[in-house]
């Protein structure tokens, strides 16, 4: 049992909004019975997220204000796929360094998700990063809202408990923590390489 690509015909598509990050369009999708259904689609460039574990299996997390939901959320580091042609693992390395000041020696693909496939094309590759090292003074300074980020460490088992208790709400964080907990219980065997293609 696995997901497979498929594309139903679109009879008409009208762009409703276009801005720097997203485009919103209305599609008339032709279904297999030749009836049509209107679907609102939010196109998004996608993102990467990083479950970064230290040698004691603690998760490196950031706390960030998220205006649309009105919460301060504990999250794993993440960032947009906003550099054309950049390999996803390179994006992840850059985001981990920029948001936390850490680098990792070992990288694996952990899990791939569509964040909300009922209305957006956003796709996220979540990486497992291990062998963490502080980058020291990287010369990078957080700007804009990122200067308000704080970092913290939580044991992986505790992060999984918090996710199941409804105390963590960021989707990539919940998926990454739970997938990482399962991977840890299996000795991190069988993980895909960091450059594995997205299916």
């Amino acid at each position: 049992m696995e997901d497979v690509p498929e594309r139903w015909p679109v009879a008409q598509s009208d762009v409703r909004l276009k801005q720097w990050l997203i485009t919103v369009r209305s599609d008339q999708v032709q279904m297999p019975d030749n009836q049509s259904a209107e679907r609102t689609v939010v196109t998004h460039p996608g993102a990467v997220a990083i479950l970064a574990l230290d040698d004691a299996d603690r998760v490196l997390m950031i706390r960030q204000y998220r205006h649309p939901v009105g919460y301060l959320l504990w999250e794993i580091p993440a960032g947009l796929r906003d550099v054309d042609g950049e390999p996803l693992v390179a994006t992840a390395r850059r985001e981990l360094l920029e948001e936390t000041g850490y680098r990792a020696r070992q990288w694996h693909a952990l899990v791939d998700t569509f964040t909300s496939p009922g209305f957006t094309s956003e796709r996220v590759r979540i990486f497992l990063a291990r062998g963490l090292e502080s980058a020291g003074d990287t010369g990078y300074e957080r700007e804009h809202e990122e200067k308000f980020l704080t970092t913290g460490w939580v044991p992986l088992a505790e992060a999984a408990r918090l996710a199941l208790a409804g105390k963590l709400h960021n989707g990539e964080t919940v998926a990454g923590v739970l997938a990482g907990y399962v991977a840890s219980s299996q000795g991190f065997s069988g993980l895909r390489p960091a450059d594995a293609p997205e299916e």
Side-chain angles (χ1 to χ4, degrees), residues 59-140:
V59 181
L60 177 56
M61 300 185 80
I62 59 173
R63 191 169 199 189
Q64 186 164 201
Y65 172 65
R66 293 301 194 179
H67 183 71
V69 294
Y71 270 76
L72 274 172
L73 296 178
W74 281 105
E75 304 176 349
I76 59 176
L80 295 172
R81 301 177 184 193
D82 56 359
V83 176
D84 286 340
E86 184 177 51
L88 296 181
V89 69
T91 305
R93 285 187 176 107
R94 177 171 50 83
E95 290 294 341
L96 179 63
L97 181 62
E98 288 177 0
E99 293 191 349
T100 70
Y102 278 82
R103 292 189 174 101
R105 292 186 307 274
Q106 301 167 12
W107 289 85
H108 287 92
L110 183 59
V111 68
D112 296 319
T113 69
F114 291 112
T115 56
S116 190
F119 77 91
T120 181
S121 65
E122 183 182 20
R123 183 174 201 162
V124 179
R125 158 72 50 98
I126 303 175
F127 289 93
L128 174 65
R130 298 171 64 215
L132 298 182
E133 300 171 335
S134 173
D137 182 17
T138 63
Y140 174 79

Side-chain angles (χ1 to χ4, degrees), residues 21-42:
L21 178 62
I22 63 168
T23 298
V24 180
R25 69 176 196 263
S26 178
D27 287 351
Q28 291 296 325
V29 179
Q30 189 174 15
M31 298 182 293
D33 65 0
N34 288 324
Q35 299 292 316
S36 67
E38 183 176 356
R39 295 290 180 258
T40 299
V41 178
V42 178

